[in-house]
Amino acid sequence: MDRDVRLRTRIRVQALLRQCQSRGVFAAVVVSGDPDAGAVLVKVNTLGNGCWVLSQIRLPDGRPAWMRGTGEQAVTEQEADAYIARQRGYDDDLWVVEVEDRKGWHPLIDEVLL
């Protein structure tokens, strides 16, 4: 049987948090969504040098990837939060994880598109 098996969102979010913790980077779940199938936004806060929000996507070949929903350049925290609020208006099952790192490190291993 050819089936696309995906981890529950809650487990994927826990893995992101542990990756951050293992590097000494603060991360927290800001909003909990559907534990099984909710999408995830990752807000990367560089603590004074701007933020960006990464959104999950699928590439045409089906591989997972991330894109900067707030654009290529960093935005203010208020702009990042406004983007998140708009996305939550479309999808109330959405998870939001905030990562705080001055250098902009994040725990995502899939490709990040600009």
Side-chain angles (χ1 to χ4, degrees):
M1 179 185 311
D2 186 23
R3 209 164 139 179
D4 186 14
V5 179
R6 296 186 186 157
L7 288 175
R8 291 180 171 180
T9 304
R10 179 180 50 81
I11 293 170
R12 291 188 355 251
V13 167
Q14 288 173 345
L16 292 175
L17 295 174
R18 286 185 189 218
Q19 286 176 288
C20 291
Q21 182 182 25
S22 73
R23 288 184 58 122
V25 172
F26 175 79
V29 174
V30 178
V31 178
S32 297
D34 183 282
D36 296 323
V40 178
L41 294 179
V42 176
K43 176 183 170 185
V44 180
N45 185 340
T46 62
L47 303 170
N49 295 317
C51 299
W52 60 86
V53 180
L54 301 170
S55 178
Q56 292 179 306
I57 62 168
R58 288 269 169 195
L59 298 174
D61 63 6
R63 288 181 299 128
W66 296 83
M67 68 173 232
R68 289 187 182 195
T70 49
E72 187 175 336
Q73 302 299 318
V75 298
T76 67
E77 187 163 10
Q78 293 79 15
E79 290 171 304
D81 291 343
Y83 174 82
I84 291 167
R86 285 191 304 274
Q87 297 308 306
R88 289 208 23 88
Y90 303 128
D91 182 359
D92 57 359
D93 291 333
L94 193 65
W95 287 74
V96 180
V97 175
E98 182 166 347
V99 176
E100 293 182 352
D101 184 74
R102 291 190 189 284
K103 295 180 182 176
W105 178 87
H106 56 76
L108 306 173
I109 59 172
D110 296 320
E111 183 176 0
V112 176
L113 307 174
L114 299 177

